Amino acid sequence: MGNMQGMMKQMQKLQKEMTSTQDEINKTTFTGKSAQDLVQADFTGDRKMTGLNINPEAIDPDDPDMLSDLVLEAVNNALAQIEQTTQAKMGKYTQGLPF
């Protein structure tokens, strides 16, 4: 019975550590950038966009598709950073689990 209590305490500690790590990631700002930094997209770790900066050089009225591509590139770059950071920090908690 004592072994079960010890395991439960260990699981509670692990859960607190996971929550703390996720909170840390959520509070982190990730900045995605397009080519030549013409567009920058800022996100929190919980994938909420907090800013979008567009360099005036990126605005070409004759080529709106270019601006769209730059925005997509910056957004996807930021989201990839969030995913990589989440995997790096949270992956240690899920290694070896069957799901």
Side-chain angles (χ1 to χ4, degrees):
M1 192 71 174
N3 190 22
M4 183 64 117
Q5 282 182 325
M7 193 163 65
M8 289 299 290
K9 284 185 181 183
Q10 196 172 19
M11 290 297 293
Q12 288 172 341
K13 179 182 176 200
L14 181 64
Q15 186 176 15
K16 284 181 184 179
E17 288 176 8
M18 287 176 63
T19 300
S20 176
T21 300
Q22 187 63 56
D23 288 345
E24 177 187 328
I25 293 169
N26 290 348
K27 291 177 185 174
T28 302
T29 298
F30 296 86
T31 300
K33 298 178 181 181
S34 70
Q36 302 165 350
D37 297 341
L38 292 174
V39 176
Q40 293 184 359
D42 298 326
F43 282 83
T44 58
D46 56 352
R47 294 169 178 81
K48 291 185 176 134
M49 185 182 280
T50 59
L52 181 66
N53 297 312
I54 300 173
N55 185 315
E57 293 176 32
I59 302 171
D60 181 354
D62 296 327
D63 191 4
D65 289 338
M66 181 186 75
L67 180 55
S68 293
D69 291 343
L70 293 171
V71 170
L72 287 173
E73 183 180 7
V75 167
N76 287 331
N77 180 264
L79 293 174
Q81 289 177 41
I82 294 168
E83 184 64 29
Q84 289 170 349
T85 300
T86 300
Q87 286 295 323
K89 291 188 175 194
M90 297 298 287
K92 64 184 175 186
Y93 299 113
T94 58
Q95 286 177 334
L97 294 178
F99 52 84

